[in-house]
Amino acid sequence: MNHIFAEFASLPLLILKGLLVGIIASAPMGPVGILCIQRTIQKGRPYGIVTGAGAALSDILYALITGLGMSFVMDFIGEKQNIFWLKLAGSVMLFIFGIYMFRSDPRKSMHTSKSGGKGTLIHNFTTAFLVTLSNPLIIFLFIALFNMLTFVIPGNWYGQCIGYLSIVAGAMLWWLGLTYVINKMRNNFGPTGIKRLNMTIGTIVLVASIIYAGMTLFNLSLY
């Protein structure tokens, strides 16, 4: 009974972790991010939202692949020392990813649409899914996040289902928020705005990775 109660008590934290993973995995302004912005400006917010939804579906597939793969090699996380090194490694990987985001120029991925039609919502959803699926490097980001947040807990299948659903929710929160902002600022949000947004996200990721690494080194925890 105590074990069941403990699992339910940990669900809010697991949901929060999943939301963070979904948001951070979706935030970088790669090809699909640029595509979402372009479609929101050129076609309207619904097309931007379905573009984000297609990316979210691809992300959750890679998250599942990462989580299932890690679950076979993470049985040793029961030892506190192993958890320490996993969190530290995740923080370092996220720091490197933050530097990459800050220095990258997403404007190079931009292109001018030559098609006169908007296409169907299903077509826009499918193309975004395929664009995201063609970038398996996202797995390394999931590995970093899962390690840093100790997201994969072997044996807790109910909790993991809730966690993965939270990743989808986090991703969709990002795409809904992004398309809302772009739709409101469509006349003022150009290539420079995209570059600044990517630099801002990169800075946030860098700061978060440093804070979490410090908390790990000094044995501080929010949970």
Side-chain angles (χ1 to χ4, degrees), residues 71-130:
S71 65
F72 290 108
V73 297
M74 287 183 63
D75 292 331
F76 70 110
I77 66 172
E79 297 184 18
K80 189 174 182 180
Q81 188 69 14
N82 292 332
I83 296 178
F84 170 84
W85 289 111
L86 282 173
K87 289 182 177 180
L88 194 60
S91 299
V92 171
M93 293 175 68
L94 198 63
F95 180 82
I96 295 172
F97 182 75
I99 293 176
Y100 170 77
M101 287 174 59
F102 185 86
R103 297 186 61 183
S104 64
D105 189 351
R107 295 173 295 183
K108 295 178 180 179
S109 301
M110 294 187 68
H111 64 277
T112 302
S113 177
K114 297 180 180 179
S115 176
K118 294 182 177 181
T120 65
L121 292 175
I122 294 178
H123 171 75
N124 282 261
F125 173 90
T126 303
T127 53
F129 170 76
L130 294 175

Side-chain angles (χ1 to χ4, degrees), residues 201-213:
I201 296 169
T203 301
I204 293 173
V205 171
L206 283 171
V207 172
S209 65
I210 293 172
I211 292 175
Y212 205 88

